[in-house]
DNA sequence: CTGTTAGCGCTTTCAA
DNA sequence: TTGAAAGCGCTAACAG
């Protein structure tokens, strides 16, 4: 709240000085009457220096406002500690992924985990290719939820840039992965719904070739087969609220009305409830609802909506852990890890008063 | 979908080769029987070389899988084309900001705009200090919505790192800004509500020292004074659905019931409607609602909710434009620009059939 | 205990 | 038209 802004460029308070060149290590050394080595050692706490000298070097550096040139350090170290981050889906709208709470959290969590280990994360547009950011010194690139035969993955692997992704890259040299067990998650959810009395559970999912979505679909089909149920699948043509709402409408408008809905496409839980209401369902009396979602509104809607969390924070943590290990051991051997999901049972999928499910929140 | 993963590390298909060292420019030169200079020129299209030589260099580079070392280039160029990105709010939960649709979009948009001009954006945790990422070669740092006297801003400016932020940094050397005209936006919204018949408009806003929120609050107070209205302010103790819902509850439960609600704290529009319903209001009959929000669910709720958009994409575009210009001109002179907001009038703030507002969507 | 020297991999004068 | 050499700013051998 310092000044009132006038719009547009300001007049110069001081005449345009040509920006004093940044102070380098050698400048500090000269000023302190020491050598570069000594100052470097003093600042990095490396060598064995007399306290007096060390202090003198530090003081001079501080006084002169010295800041080491990070690029030079990186070159010297041979590592830039930079990781690229792309998502496979949303190629149509390359920057839309953060609008999904899942990706928002995955992205945050990944950046956090990386930074904690000294790596910085650079956000890249979905569906872009390696050539577009070839002049950034990435030590590895994370490809979140690649689509089937994702070109980015191939591109990266061909360029011998370590790739970190989901289990679809398992076994390939230079590729590492973290994944969730989609099958187990689906079974847990469907079992829960069945336990609560559901006999006609419909599923809504995006028309996507992501490993996760494919895995969910086939696990659902298998589960239905095993229980003698007819699969009821509604595909959303695209991501985004509009298309997914339409898919939910389709599922709910079916001639044989479902008694449970498993929404795997990202859709705001309150909007799912609204759709149910619109079609004359009372949740949870006539319709049980579980959403795969990280959306915090699930806990605040009326009724609160049960969610299956993919645990983006755990995914990121486990993933970065693995990636960093691979990077720092120079490990080209593929490795991977599976992270458990978490079913959060809330009112939307509980009949009667039974707490019934895995976890209540 | 290549293989079935076994969990945990894999056995090596090939015995652990020690990772061939990356091929350098000099390797290509040697292989092609040319000098570094020539190959460099050939690859960059710079010098005047015979087509034959140029082709030979290129072919060799391709064949050997040469990729230039980005760090070396950066050192040579004296620029790393890296921009840091921090947000001022959310210091308590440093990575929560992406959960807000506004910041999700602002972040995406900033990354996109930067990348389009050849700069990469690194996401940093809210409230962190310069010293924590001193070894990244940032050319500038963007501080989105700093709180009053934000330590990050001071820190950065002291370290002579160009800062890009909102108008609260206007006039300071090395600082540039982009902002919205909060006052105009508030007045437009309140005028619209009044036009639709509202006489007791309550406002809900976070208890934050952000320039925007302060600006909104004082504009609201001024407007009330000018119209002889009593200000009705409900402050949310914190960001996040819980606290904001409580603030909305407070506003709606007031003894003298409001007839319009202006929600400036980020809250999912369907949840606002739910709160209204819970308190026995019918929107828009008894209560007009406008939210400052970029949440896409606003258009899909029942009724659709009017929003005041801060236009994050325009902000990012204008901001990066300015920042890049400053960076590339070595311009230390502060400069700034104001971006207009946009009121999207939907059913939640329309009485009767009148289209009434600025824009309908 | 401190300083000199040699690179990290690249681009770019400047000579040949 | 091509190549040798200098140097971006830093750190780490190796001498002194």
């Amino acid at each position: 709240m310092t000044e009132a802004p006038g719009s547009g460029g300001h007049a110069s308070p001081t005449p345009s000085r040509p920006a004093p060149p940044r102070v380098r290590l050698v400048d500090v050394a000269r000023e302190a009457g020491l050598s570069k080595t000594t100052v470097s050692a003093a600042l990095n706490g490396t060598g064995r220096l007399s306290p007096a000298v060390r202090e003198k070097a530090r003081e001079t550096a501080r006084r002169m406002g010295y800041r080491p040139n990070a690029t030079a350090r990186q070159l010297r170290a041979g590592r830039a500690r930079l990781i690229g981050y792309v998502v496979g889906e949303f190629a149509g709208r390359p920057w839309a992924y953060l609008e999904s709470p899942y990706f928002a959290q995955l992205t945050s969590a990944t950046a956090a985990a990386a930074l904690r280990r000294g790596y910085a994360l650079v956000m890249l547009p979905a569906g872009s290719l390696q050539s577009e950011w070839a002049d950034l010194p990435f030590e590895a690139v994370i490809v979140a939820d690649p689509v089937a035969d994702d070109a980015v993955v191939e591109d990266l692997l061909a360029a011998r840039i370590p790739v970190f992704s989901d289990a679809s890259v398992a076994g390939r040299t230079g590729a590492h992965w973290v994944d969730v067990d989609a099958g187990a998650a689906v079974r847990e959810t469907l079992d829960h719904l069945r336990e609560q009395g559901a006999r006609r559970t419909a599923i809504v999912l995006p028309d996507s070739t992501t490993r996760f979505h494919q895995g969910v679909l086939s696990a659902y089909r298998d589960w239905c087969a095993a229980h003698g149920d007819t699969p009821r699948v509604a595909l959303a043509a695209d991501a985004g609220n509009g298309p997914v709402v339409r898919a939910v409408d389709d599922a709910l408008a079916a001639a044989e009305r479902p008694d449970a809905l498993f929404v795997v496409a990202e859709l705001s839980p309150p909007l799912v409830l609204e759709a149910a209401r619109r079609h004359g369902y009372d949740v949870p009396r006539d319709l049980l609802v579980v959403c795969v979602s990280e959306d915090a509104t699930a806990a605040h809607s009326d009724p609160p909506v049960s969610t299956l969390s993919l645990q983006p924070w755990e995914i990121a943590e486990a993933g970065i852990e693995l990636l960093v290990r691979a990077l720092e051991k120079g490990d080209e051997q593929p490795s991977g890890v599976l992270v458990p999901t978490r079913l959060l049972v809330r009112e939307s999928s509980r009949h009667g008063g039974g707490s019934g499910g895995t976890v209540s929140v």
Side-chain angles (χ1 to χ4, degrees), chain A:
Chain A
M1 273 8 60
T2 31
E3 353 238 76
S7 140
H10 280 244
S12 340
T14 44
S16 189
R17 249 176 301 171
R22 215 169 120 160
V23 17
R24 299 156 304 164
L25 187 62
V26 57
D27 299 321
V28 178
R30 190 164 331 137
E31 173 81 12
L34 296 168
S35 81
K36 290 197 309 177
T37 315
T38 308
V39 178
S40 171
L43 264 28
N44 297 321
T46 27
R48 283 156 299 283
L49 304 183
S50 72
V53 171
R54 169 156 288 153
E55 188 40 46
K56 163 137 202 160
R58 291 201 158 141
E59 194 280 319
T60 313
R62 194 168 334 137
R63 183 165 47 76
M64 300 179 73
Y66 169 72
R67 288 184 309 115
N69 178 316
T71 304
R73 285 185 152 179
Q74 292 176 346
L75 178 59
R76 189 61 244 262
R79 350 203 23 228
R81 307 191 78 88
L82 216 57
I83 296 176
Y85 179 87
V86 212
V87 339
E89 289 185 270
F90 301 94
R93 287 171 307 147
W95 290 103
Y97 60 90
L98 287 187
E99 286 166 33
S100 137
Y102 170 71
F103 280 110
Q105 290 196 36
L106 184 67
T107 306
S108 301
T110 305
L115 219 48
R116 209 175 316 122
R117 290 171 178 76
Y119 289 80
L121 198 75
V122 174
M123 296 177 44
L124 269 7
S128 64
L129 285 185
Q130 191 260 324
S131 53
E132 301 175 37
W133 14 274
D135 35 47
L136 290 169
F138 293 130
E139 288 187 37
V141 174
I142 295 173
V143 183
D145 285 84
V147 295
D149 304 309
D150 201 306
V152 190
V153 171
E154 301 309 324
D155 203 28
L156 255 8
L157 251 20
R160 315 221 51 199
I161 297 172
V163 171
F164 195 89
S165 191
D166 71 10
S168 62
V169 301
R172 308 192 56 173
T173 300
H176 308 273
W177 57 269
V178 59
D179 214 327
V180 296
D181 190 337
V186 167
R187 286 187 294 274
E188 181 183 0
T189 306
L190 295 176
D191 286 344
H192 159 67
L193 289 169
R194 186 178 180 85
E195 213 172 87
Q196 297 295 314
R199 287 300 176 273
R200 296 182 306 282
T201 298
I203 194 171
V204 173
L205 93 177
D207 187 9
S208 136
T209 60
T210 270
R211 184 183 161 89
F212 175 71
H213 291 129
Q214 299 284 314
V216 166
L217 184 54
S218 68
Y220 171 76
R221 291 223 147 96
D222 291 350
W223 189 93
C224 286
H227 291 76
D229 284 5
T230 330
R232 297 147 208 272
V233 179
L235 253 34
D238 205 345
N241 288 297
V244 181
V245 167
R246 276 191 287 283
V248 169
D249 283 337
D250 287 351
L252 295 179
E256 198 185 16
R257 302 187 111 203
D259 56 10
L261 192 62
F262 184 27
V263 182
V264 183
E266 193 81 65
L267 178 59
S268 169
L271 290 189
V272 176
L273 295 178
E274 219 163 63
R277 215 176 292 136
R278 199 165 53 236
H279 286 270
Y281 292 84
D282 179 284
V283 177
R285 189 185 311 274
D286 322 325
L287 186 75
L288 301 176
V289 172
V290 175
C291 295
V292 173
S293 176
E294 311 302 322
D295 195 322
T297 61
H300 295 276
S301 59
D302 179 27
V305 173
S306 300
T307 55
L308 176 66
S309 168
L310 266 21
Q311 306 280 74
W313 286 86
E314 331 295 323
I315 292 181
E317 183 60 35
I320 289 292
E321 170 73 35
L322 212 66
L323 175 55
V324 167
R325 201 204 313 276
L327 245 29
E328 305 196 336
K329 298 205 144 170
D331 200 352
E332 292 235 315
Q333 296 320 311
S335 61
V337 61
L338 233 35
V339 169
T341 57
R342 189 148 177 257
L343 182 61
L344 299 158
V345 175
R346 302 197 184 89
E347 218 178 304
S348 74
S349 68
R350 257 197 302 253
H351 265 156
S355 91
T358 314
V359 183
S360 303
V361 167

